[in-house]
mmCIF file with all atom_site columns, all heavy atoms in Angstrom:
data_model
loop_
_atom_site.group_PDB
_atom_site.id
_atom_site.type_symbol
_atom_site.label_atom_id
_atom_site.label_alt_id
_atom_site.label_comp_id
_atom_site.label_asym_id
_atom_site.label_entity_id
_atom_site.label_seq_id
_atom_site.pdbx_PDB_ins_code
_atom_site.Cartn_x
_atom_site.Cartn_y
_atom_site.Cartn_z
_atom_site.occupancy
_atom_site.B_iso_or_equiv
_atom_site.pdbx_formal_charge
_atom_site.auth_seq_id
_atom_site.auth_comp_id
_atom_site.auth_asym_id
_atom_site.auth_atom_id
_atom_site.pdbx_PDB_model_num
ATOM 1  N N   . ALA A 1 7  ? 24.587 -20.857 -17.820 1.00 31.00 ? 13 ALA A N   1
ATOM 2  C CA  . ALA A 1 7  ? 24.786 -19.547 -18.440 1.00 31.00 ? 13 ALA A CA  1
ATOM 3  C C   . ALA A 1 7  ? 23.515 -18.728 -18.375 1.00 31.00 ? 13 ALA A C   1
ATOM 4  O O   . ALA A 1 7  ? 23.540 -17.523 -18.131 1.00 31.00 ? 13 ALA A O   1
ATOM 5  C CB  . ALA A 1 7  ? 25.235 -19.714 -19.891 1.00 31.00 ? 13 ALA A CB  1
ATOM 6  N N   . GLY A 1 8  ? 22.373 -19.412 -18.590 1.00 32.00 ? 14 GLY A N   1
ATOM 7  C CA  . GLY A 1 8  ? 21.111 -18.697 -18.526 1.00 32.00 ? 14 GLY A CA  1
ATOM 8  C C   . GLY A 1 8  ? 20.808 -18.202 -17.124 1.00 32.00 ? 14 GLY A C   1
ATOM 9  O O   . GLY A 1 8  ? 20.297 -17.104 -16.929 1.00 32.00 ? 14 GLY A O   1
ATOM 10 N N   . VAL A 1 9  ? 21.129 -19.017 -16.118 1.00 33.00 ? 15 VAL A N   1
ATOM 11 C CA  . VAL A 1 9  ? 20.913 -18.622 -14.734 1.00 33.00 ? 15 VAL A CA  1
ATOM 12 C C   . VAL A 1 9  ? 21.765 -17.424 -14.378 1.00 33.00 ? 15 VAL A C   1
ATOM 13 O O   . VAL A 1 9  ? 21.319 -16.459 -13.760 1.00 33.00 ? 15 VAL A O   1
ATOM 14 C CB  . VAL A 1 9  ? 21.219 -19.815 -13.793 1.00 33.00 ? 15 VAL A CB  1
ATOM 15 C CG1 . VAL A 1 9  ? 21.286 -19.342 -12.345 1.00 33.00 ? 15 VAL A CG1 1
ATOM 16 C CG2 . VAL A 1 9  ? 20.177 -20.895 -13.942 1.00 33.00 ? 15 VAL A CG2 1
ATOM 17 N N   . LEU A 1 10 ? 23.037 -17.462 -14.774 1.00 34.00 ? 16 LEU A N   1
ATOM 18 C CA  . LEU A 1 10 ? 23.921 -16.342 -14.494 1.00 34.00 ? 16 LEU A CA  1
ATOM 19 C C   . LEU A 1 10 ? 23.427 -15.073 -15.165 1.00 34.00 ? 16 LEU A C   1
ATOM 20 O O   . LEU A 1 10 ? 23.485 -13.993 -14.593 1.00 34.00 ? 16 LEU A O   1
ATOM 21 C CB  . LEU A 1 10 ? 25.347 -16.668 -14.949 1.00 34.00 ? 16 LEU A CB  1
ATOM 22 C CG  . LEU A 1 10 ? 26.073 -17.707 -14.089 1.00 34.00 ? 16 LEU A CG  1
ATOM 23 C CD1 . LEU A 1 10 ? 27.394 -18.103 -14.740 1.00 34.00 ? 16 LEU A CD1 1
ATOM 24 C CD2 . LEU A 1 10 ? 26.329 -17.167 -12.690 1.00 34.00 ? 16 LEU A CD2 1
ATOM 25 N N   . ALA A 1 11 ? 22.912 -15.212 -16.378 1.00 32.00 ? 17 ALA A N   1
ATOM 26 C CA  . ALA A 1 11 ? 22.390 -14.029 -17.080 1.00 32.00 ? 17 ALA A CA  1
ATOM 27 C C   . ALA A 1 11 ? 21.200 -13.448 -16.334 1.00 32.00 ? 17 ALA A C   1
ATOM 28 O O   . ALA A 1 11 ? 21.062 -12.230 -16.194 1.00 32.00 ? 17 ALA A O   1
ATOM 29 C CB  . ALA A 1 11 ? 21.991 -14.404 -18.505 1.00 32.00 ? 17 ALA A CB  1
ATOM 30 N N   . ALA A 1 12 ? 20.325 -14.330 -15.838 1.00 37.00 ? 18 ALA A N   1
ATOM 31 C CA  . ALA A 1 12 ? 19.163 -13.842 -15.092 1.00 37.00 ? 18 ALA A CA  1
ATOM 32 C C   . ALA A 1 12 ? 19.581 -13.150 -13.806 1.00 37.00 ? 18 ALA A C   1
ATOM 33 O O   . ALA A 1 12 ? 19.000 -12.141 -13.405 1.00 37.00 ? 18 ALA A O   1
ATOM 34 C CB  . ALA A 1 12 ? 18.226 -15.017 -14.767 1.00 37.00 ? 18 ALA A CB  1
ATOM 35 N N   . ALA A 1 13 ? 20.618 -13.702 -13.149 1.00 39.00 ? 19 ALA A N   1
ATOM 36 C CA  . ALA A 1 13 ? 21.108 -13.070 -11.928 1.00 39.00 ? 19 ALA A CA  1
ATOM 37 C C   . ALA A 1 13 ? 21.655 -11.690 -12.214 1.00 39.00 ? 19 ALA A C   1
ATOM 38 O O   . ALA A 1 13 ? 21.454 -10.755 -11.441 1.00 39.00 ? 19 ALA A O   1
ATOM 39 C CB  . ALA A 1 13 ? 22.188 -13.940 -11.273 1.00 39.00 ? 19 ALA A CB  1
ATOM 40 N N   . VAL A 1 14 ? 22.330 -11.552 -13.347 1.00 37.00 ? 20 VAL A N   1
ATOM 41 C CA  . VAL A 1 14 ? 22.881 -10.244 -13.714 1.00 37.00 ? 20 VAL A CA  1
ATOM 42 C C   . VAL A 1 14 ? 21.756 -9.233  -13.919 1.00 37.00 ? 20 VAL A C   1
ATOM 43 O O   . VAL A 1 14 ? 21.855 -8.072  -13.542 1.00 37.00 ? 20 VAL A O   1
ATOM 44 C CB  . VAL A 1 14 ? 23.757 -10.351 -14.981 1.00 37.00 ? 20 VAL A CB  1
ATOM 45 C CG1 . VAL A 1 14 ? 24.060 -8.973  -15.543 1.00 37.00 ? 20 VAL A CG1 1
ATOM 46 C CG2 . VAL A 1 14 ? 25.049 -11.084 -14.671 1.00 37.00 ? 20 VAL A CG2 1
ATOM 47 N N   . VAL A 1 15 ? 20.645 -9.711  -14.515 1.00 37.00 ? 21 VAL A N   1
ATOM 48 C CA  . VAL A 1 15 ? 19.510 -8.819  -14.725 1.00 37.00 ? 21 VAL A CA  1
ATOM 49 C C   . VAL A 1 15 ? 19.056 -8.202  -13.406 1.00 37.00 ? 21 VAL A C   1
ATOM 50 O O   . VAL A 1 15 ? 18.780 -7.006  -13.319 1.00 37.00 ? 21 VAL A O   1
ATOM 51 C CB  . VAL A 1 15 ? 18.335 -9.596  -15.370 1.00 37.00 ? 21 VAL A CB  1
ATOM 52 C CG1 . VAL A 1 15 ? 17.053 -8.789  -15.298 1.00 37.00 ? 21 VAL A CG1 1
ATOM 53 C CG2 . VAL A 1 15 ? 18.661 -9.908  -16.817 1.00 37.00 ? 21 VAL A CG2 1
ATOM 54 N N   . LEU A 1 16 ? 19.019 -9.013  -12.340 1.00 43.00 ? 22 LEU A N   1
ATOM 55 C CA  . LEU A 1 16 ? 18.507 -8.526  -11.070 1.00 43.00 ? 22 LEU A CA  1
ATOM 56 C C   . LEU A 1 16 ? 19.543 -7.779  -10.260 1.00 43.00 ? 22 LEU A C   1
ATOM 57 O O   . LEU A 1 16 ? 19.207 -6.918  -9.474  1.00 43.00 ? 22 LEU A O   1
ATOM 58 C CB  . LEU A 1 16 ? 17.982 -9.696  -10.237 1.00 43.00 ? 22 LEU A CB  1
ATOM 59 C CG  . LEU A 1 16 ? 16.761 -10.406 -10.830 1.00 43.00 ? 22 LEU A CG  1
ATOM 60 C CD1 . LEU A 1 16 ? 16.331 -11.527 -9.918  1.00 43.00 ? 22 LEU A CD1 1
ATOM 61 C CD2 . LEU A 1 16 ? 15.621 -9.430  -11.027 1.00 43.00 ? 22 LEU A CD2 1
ATOM 62 N N   . THR A 1 17 ? 20.828 -8.094  -10.430 1.00 40.00 ? 23 THR A N   1
ATOM 63 C CA  . THR A 1 17 ? 21.823 -7.515  -9.550  1.00 40.00 ? 23 THR A CA  1
ATOM 64 C C   . THR A 1 17 ? 22.668 -6.436  -10.182 1.00 40.00 ? 23 THR A C   1
ATOM 65 O O   . THR A 1 17 ? 23.179 -5.571  -9.499  1.00 40.00 ? 23 THR A O   1
ATOM 66 C CB  . THR A 1 17 ? 22.763 -8.615  -9.009  1.00 40.00 ? 23 THR A CB  1
ATOM 67 O OG1 . THR A 1 17 ? 23.447 -9.225  -10.108 1.00 40.00 ? 23 THR A OG1 1
ATOM 68 C CG2 . THR A 1 17 ? 21.999 -9.649  -8.229  1.00 40.00 ? 23 THR A CG2 1
ATOM 69 N N   . ALA A 1 18 ? 22.835 -6.449  -11.487 1.00 40.00 ? 24 ALA A N   1
ATOM 70 C CA  . ALA A 1 18 ? 23.735 -5.474  -12.106 1.00 40.00 ? 24 ALA A CA  1
ATOM 71 C C   . ALA A 1 18 ? 23.011 -4.281  -12.699 1.00 40.00 ? 24 ALA A C   1
ATOM 72 O O   . ALA A 1 18 ? 23.641 -3.326  -13.118 1.00 40.00 ? 24 ALA A O   1
ATOM 73 C CB  . ALA A 1 18 ? 24.568 -6.153  -13.195 1.00 40.00 ? 24 ALA A CB  1
ATOM 74 N N   . GLY A 1 19 ? 21.695 -4.330  -12.743 1.00 40.00 ? 25 GLY A N   1
ATOM 75 C CA  . GLY A 1 19 ? 20.941 -3.167  -13.181 1.00 40.00 ? 25 GLY A CA  1
ATOM 76 C C   . GLY A 1 19 ? 20.921 -2.969  -14.674 1.00 40.00 ? 25 GLY A C   1
ATOM 77 O O   . GLY A 1 19 ? 20.677 -1.865  -15.156 1.00 40.00 ? 25 GLY A O   1
ATOM 78 N N   . LEU A 1 20 ? 21.170 -4.013  -15.468 1.00 33.00 ? 26 LEU A N   1
ATOM 79 C CA  . LEU A 1 20 ? 21.099 -3.886  -16.912 1.00 33.00 ? 26 LEU A CA  1
ATOM 80 C C   . LEU A 1 20 ? 19.647 -3.988  -17.357 1.00 33.00 ? 26 LEU A C   1
ATOM 81 O O   . LEU A 1 20 ? 18.749 -4.252  -16.573 1.00 33.00 ? 26 LEU A O   1
ATOM 82 C CB  . LEU A 1 20 ? 21.942 -4.994  -17.572 1.00 33.00 ? 26 LEU A CB  1
ATOM 83 C CG  . LEU A 1 20 ? 23.422 -5.031  -17.133 1.00 33.00 ? 26 LEU A CG  1
ATOM 84 C CD1 . LEU A 1 20 ? 24.129 -6.191  -17.802 1.00 33.00 ? 26 LEU A CD1 1
ATOM 85 C CD2 . LEU A 1 20 ? 24.108 -3.718  -17.458 1.00 33.00 ? 26 LEU A CD2 1
ATOM 86 N N   . ALA A 1 21 ? 19.400 -3.772  -18.646 1.00 30.00 ? 27 ALA A N   1
ATOM 87 C CA  . ALA A 1 21 ? 18.033 -3.857  -19.156 1.00 30.00 ? 27 ALA A CA  1
ATOM 88 C C   . ALA A 1 21 ? 17.477 -5.247  -18.914 1.00 30.00 ? 27 ALA A C   1
ATOM 89 O O   . ALA A 1 21 ? 18.145 -6.249  -19.142 1.00 30.00 ? 27 ALA A O   1
ATOM 90 C CB  . ALA A 1 21 ? 18.011 -3.537  -20.644 1.00 30.00 ? 27 ALA A CB  1
#
Side-chain angles (χ1 to χ4, degrees):
V15 168
L16 289 172
V20 167
V21 167
L22 295 180
T23 62
L26 304 178

